[in-house]
Amino acid sequence: MEESALIPHLFRTEYRKMISVLCARFGIEHIEQAEDIVSETFLAATESWSTRGVPENPQGWLYTTAKHKTLNWLKRNNFFREKLLPDLRYSTPEGEEPDIDLSDRNISDSQLAMMFTVCHPSIPPESQVALALNLLCGFGAQEIADAYLTTPAVIYKRLGRAKEKLKEAGIPVEQPSAREISERINAVLKTIYLLFSEGYFSSSNNAVVRKELCVEAMRLNYLLVEQPLANLPAANALLALMCFHASRFDARVGESGEIMLYHEQDASRWNRELIEKGEYYLNQAATGPMLTTYHIEAAIAWWHTHQEDTPEKWDNILDLYNRLLILQYSPMAALNRTYALARARGKQPAIREAEKLALTDNFLYYSLLGNLYTGVDDEKAIRHYQTARQLANTPSGVAAMEKYIAELTHRPVH
Amino acid sequence: MNEFLLVFRRDYKTRETQPSPEQLQAHLSRWRAWFEDLKARDLLARPLQPWEPAGKVLKHDKSVTDGPFAEIKESIGGFIVIKAENYDQAVKIAEGSPILELGGSVEIRQAAG
């Protein structure tokens, strides 16, 4: 570990663990206190470590310090006895010192519990995602703002409101029951899906933050499949989907930082290990009566792990997109379907279908039309790529469009 | 040369301005750089000494509690003893302290006698 990145690294890995453990211990209504304790712990670290150097086990140092600060807080004004003890959930046998359990086991249990608290139906979906980023992934207002192309002040307000809701609702942070899991699992999976999508497809230029979003989404999903009650087919399907996508994460960027579209990618740069993991979870997902959108999307993503184009591959992908759209329509899925249609049935029918969608404010729509018209009507292809270039909001998007325009412009006339 | 006590106090509770992980890292580096600078200029009257973040508080009735608490608005982040001719010079030196960038303050006392 480069020492210059030590604190950011520890902050990302440890902040969320300590927050979850403390919230599980005190109850969500004391979330701000938990955040203060953890923030102070990090501040204390900067001072202490500046005089003597970084301790041998910085994680242990943070845990010990956070524990001391918490116990002091509990004892202050007999807070523990007066306010927490009457609530049996948090009680400790008479005369015993309250303890803070920072074992690995309790950390992952607490994080899982927090996931189900954050995704309680009383919390609006957009707040769930912001809270998940903040409390479960340890992202600060600045990083969330980077991912969503907004200002930290906006995110700070959104988080503040979401935390108020969380406190008002007073949802216990505890191991969810089978019933609670079945009631909230959809919201939990949706939140994880959004976290991942934000990282994978986001317009933010901060590649480090984007990759971490994907890693975090997968980590949270992993916590689910590790818990027998939450290890549901849909959770496995989502994890498989993310493994397949993530296997191409690095291959998506070319040497000069430009987007490499799927068919341009160097398949040897795809991560085989992740693909195999994805296949494992997809198999795990193939039980039970429920076919979710995650199952279908995972199956589509699985076909994409085979770069070689066969009629079978594109027929299957097209069929899967058709089923996906029946289950849950979305313009982006419809757009992707037209690409599969072009590969399976040719460009003409795909162009007709694509133009019906008329997603005229969408970069990907014009980029796809550019692709479909290439070789059919290059003049039109160029015009579509030009529109896409104007709508692109990342340098890599602009670079990719310029590359296609240049290729078409310099193509010899037939 | 006289000796001056510099006590670093910090406002722990300003949530809006809580530093990001990167700012914390930069903060740590600036503390180090500042200490190195004081050492290099031979301005430290005592070697640097880290203090545990949590300690004890003895109250007027001689009861002892663990502390300091998170609730104390300002908390002592640490102190050092420096060498300076006079208050003006000691203040000048203290102005380099990174505690100021996070809303903290430095209390300066000359050793008497």
Side-chain angles (χ1 to χ4, degrees):
Chain A
M1 169 67 44
E2 279 281 320
E3 205 185 296
S4 61
L6 181 71
I7 290 187
H9 170 77
L10 285 170
F11 200 90
R12 277 192 197 111
T13 55
E14 307 310 323
Y15 180 90
R16 59 187 185 222
K17 293 184 190 167
M18 297 193 273
I19 291 285
S20 288
V21 167
L22 296 184
C23 285
R25 190 76 174 82
F26 309 151
I28 200 73
E29 56 275 29
H30 298 295
I31 182 166
E32 276 151 359
Q33 194 56 54
E35 291 180 296
D36 283 349
I37 287 171
V38 179
S39 299
E40 275 176 44
T41 300
F42 275 92
L43 263 178
T46 63
E47 282 158 5
S48 182
W49 300 357
S50 63
T51 47
R52 190 174 274 174
V54 176
E56 216 161 277
N57 175 4
Q59 185 198 40
W61 189 99
L62 291 171
Y63 286 5
T64 309
T65 304
K67 211 166 172 169
H68 276 133
K69 285 184 184 297
T70 308
L71 296 180
N72 288 349
W73 176 68
L74 286 174
K75 287 177 192 161
R76 177 179 169 268
N77 297 334
N78 295 324
F79 178 90
F80 182 74
R81 198 158 51 241
E82 285 164 17
K83 293 186 185 149
L84 288 183
L85 209 56
D87 189 343
L88 279 177
R89 241 170 50 70
Y90 310 109
S91 76
T92 304
E94 194 76 32
E96 218 172 278
E97 285 256 302
D99 195 18
I100 306 300
D101 177 4
L102 280 158
S103 64
D104 287 350
R105 175 79 223 201
N106 191 47
I107 286 172
S108 57
D109 283 355
S110 301
Q111 287 189 288
L112 187 85
M114 270 295 262
M115 221 188 301
F116 280 86
T117 300
V118 161
C119 293
H120 190 272
S122 67
I123 311 296
E126 67 277 12
S127 301
Q128 292 177 348
V129 174
L131 284 173
L133 281 168
N134 183 223
L135 302 176
L136 297 167
C137 307
F139 279 56
Q142 178 68 54
E143 289 162 307
I144 302 176
D146 282 350
Y148 287 89
L149 300 175
T150 179
T151 63
V154 168
I155 296 294
Y156 196 87
K157 274 196 200 113
R158 189 183 302 169
L159 284 172
R161 278 197 301 269
K163 281 173 194 167
E164 277 312 307
K165 280 233 177 292
L166 215 50
K167 279 157 62 180
E168 278 166 32
I171 307 132
V173 185
E174 60 191 5
Q175 285 312 295
S177 66
R179 194 173 62 89
E180 283 160 344
I181 287 176
S182 73
E183 279 168 2
R184 298 182 212 167
I185 191 76
N186 285 340
V188 169
L189 293 178
K190 181 85 188 186
T191 298
I192 293 174
Y193 181 82
L194 290 175
L195 289 180
F196 187 87
S197 302
E198 193 52 44
Y200 202 76
F201 302 108
S202 134
S203 32
S204 159
N205 294 320
N206 191 334
V208 178
V209 168
R210 291 178 47 188
K211 194 164 184 175
E212 288 210 13
L213 272 172
C214 292
V215 171
E216 281 303 311
M218 293 173 75
R219 187 184 64 84
L220 293 176
N221 201 151
Y222 189 71
L223 287 177
L224 288 177
V225 300
E226 284 291 284
Q227 217 276 5
L229 285 177
N231 185 16
L232 300 165
N236 281 278
L238 177 56
L239 190 49
L241 166 63
M242 294 193 290
C243 287
F244 293 141
H245 276 315
S247 73
R248 292 196 294 277
F249 203 99
D250 293 328
R252 296 188 314 162
V253 182
E255 275 169 15
S256 44
E258 77 277 23
I259 298 176
M260 299 293 280
L261 287 183
Y262 173 69
H263 59 271
E264 304 167 325
Q265 290 171 11
D266 173 3
S268 69
R269 290 181 66 203
W270 293 353
N271 184 326
R272 294 304 319 171
E273 197 188 332
L274 276 172
I275 293 174
E276 280 162 27
K277 274 195 177 156
E279 286 170 343
Y280 169 80
Y281 291 115
L282 192 57
N283 278 328
Q284 298 296 112
T287 54
M290 277 285 284
L291 184 72
T292 64
T293 54
Y294 305 125
H295 284 90
I296 299 176
E297 285 193 53
I300 293 171
W302 178 80
W303 277 105
H304 280 89
T305 62
H306 302 78
Q307 199 176 33
E308 200 194 343
D309 285 323
T310 58
E312 188 202 7
K313 168 180 166 180
W314 287 106
D315 270 345
N316 272 290
I317 293 177
L318 178 61
D319 178 52
L320 286 162
Y321 270 119
N322 290 338
R323 288 158 74 181
L324 181 63
L325 288 172
I326 291 167
L327 210 55
Q328 188 185 75
Y329 182 86
S330 85
M332 287 318 294
L335 196 61
N336 288 330
R337 176 189 164 269
T338 57
Y339 182 76
L341 187 65
R343 304 307 303 262
R345 306 274 185 272
K347 287 190 166 180
Q348 291 293 359
I351 289 172
R352 280 196 299 275
E353 293 284 303
E355 285 178 342
K356 278 189 213 160
L357 298 172
L359 303 171
T360 51
D361 56 354
N362 191 302
F363 158 71
L364 291 170
Y365 173 70
Y366 287 105
S367 162
L368 176 69
L369 282 180
N371 176 292
L372 294 179
Y373 271 110
T374 299
V376 175
D377 182 341
D378 285 355
E379 289 290 309
K380 271 193 173 175
I382 291 174
R383 279 205 301 280
H384 285 307
Y385 279 138
Q386 281 165 344
T387 313
R389 190 202 169 285
Q390 276 163 10
L391 290 169
N393 50 10
T394 62
S396 51
V398 170
M401 293 310 106
E402 282 175 352
K403 190 174 92 182
Y404 299 136
I405 294 167
E407 278 169 9
L408 283 167
T409 317
H410 299 127
R411 182 178 281 197
V413 184
H414 307 293
Chain B
M1 272 298 188
N2 295 305
E3 293 192 356
F4 288 83
L5 177 68
L6 302 191
V7 182
F8 307 112
R9 292 179 194 278
R10 181 179 54 210
D11 169 14
Y12 262 138
K13 302 284 285 179
T14 314
R15 288 206 181 89
E16 298 262 356
T17 57
Q18 250 163 27
S20 70
E22 283 71 20
Q23 285 170 317
L24 283 173
Q25 182 71 53
H27 188 65
L28 170 61
S29 310
R30 279 194 286 277
W31 271 114
R32 282 203 182 137
W34 189 57
F35 285 146
E36 289 307 317
D37 179 55
L38 294 183
K39 268 188 229 168
R41 289 156 64 200
D42 192 29
L43 292 174
L44 287 174
R46 305 265 153 82
L48 292 175
Q49 167 69 51
W51 307 92
E52 285 185 354
K56 304 277 179 196
V57 176
L58 177 64
K59 290 192 185 151
H60 63 90
D61 61 0
K62 294 202 176 158
S63 67
V64 181
T65 59
D66 291 332
F69 304 118
E71 266 65 17
I72 294 176
K73 180 82 177 152
E74 284 189 334
S75 140
I76 294 179
F79 63 83
I80 59 174
V81 184
I82 58 158
K83 293 184 262 186
E85 283 299 340
N86 49 38
Y87 270 107
D88 282 352
Q89 226 180 61
V91 167
K92 194 97 199 119
I93 293 168
E95 277 171 3
S97 168
I99 198 84
L100 303 175
E101 67 193 50
L102 293 182
S105 61
V106 187
E107 185 177 323
I108 301 158
R109 301 278 193 92
Q110 183 171 356

